[in-house]
Amino acid sequence: PRQSFVMVKGAALLLPAEEPPPAEPPPAEPPSQAPGQQEQHLQLMMQLLRPQDAIRLAVRLESARPRRVRYLLVVRPEEEGAEAEAALLGVDFAHEGAARCTLGMVLPLWSDTQVFLDGDG
C-alpha cells in the first residue's frame, strides 16, 4: 500500500509514488488532535484493505457522537485497468486514540453510480 499523502484540514490525499511530496510545510494540526494521530489512523485503515487495494482519498468526517471518529475512503486496486473497481468505505474509530477500526459501510462505485452526500456529518 501507498505511504505518501498530503493532509489538509482533515482530508488526506495520497500522492502517486513518482511525485515528490510538496515542499511547503503541512498545516498545523487541530489542537484537539494528538500529533501523528491521522497518520496512525491511515495505517490502521490500510490494514483493513486487501493487499492489492490502495486508498485514493481519505476524508475525516464530523460525527454525531462526540468521541467517535469517522472517515470516508475512496479505495481501488492498484493493478492496471482496475479503475472500474472503486469503492467508498466508511471507517469508524471508537475514539481518537483507538488502536483498531471497523468498517461501517462498503459501497461499490459502478460506472453509472451517483453518490449524493448531505446532512450535517
Side-chain angles (χ1 to χ4, degrees):
R2 210 164 274 188
Q3 300 288 327
S4 301
F5 55 89
V6 174
M7 289 186 295
V8 179
K9 295 185 181 177
L13 176 61
L14 293 163
L15 302 172
E18 62 273 4
E19 287 183 22
E24 65 184 59
E29 293 288 330
S32 63
Q33 190 170 24
Q37 194 67 56
Q38 280 189 315
E39 291 89 344
Q40 182 181 358
H41 286 174
L42 279 171
Q43 291 295 326
L44 291 168
M45 290 186 288
M46 288 184 343
Q47 292 174 11
L48 292 175
L49 305 179
R50 303 176 304 179
Q52 68 267 28
D53 290 336
I55 298 173
R56 293 311 206 188
L57 181 69
V59 179
R60 185 171 171 161
L61 305 175
E62 292 180 13
S63 178
R65 293 178 146 183
R67 291 179 39 98
R68 177 146 311 174
V69 178
R70 301 192 129 166
Y71 288 88
L72 179 67
L73 308 180
V74 176
V75 175
R76 76 174 171 87
E78 294 239 290
E79 61 232 15
E80 288 292 320
E83 291 81 15
E85 298 179 32
L88 289 178
L89 302 181
V91 179
D92 297 313
F93 289 84
H95 54 84
E96 189 75 43
R100 66 182 200 80
C101 55
T102 58
L103 281 175
M105 176 193 77
V106 177
L107 177 66
L109 295 177
W110 308 106
S111 61
D112 60 348
T113 300
Q114 290 185 335
V115 178
F116 299 95
L117 303 173
D118 66 10
D120 61 358

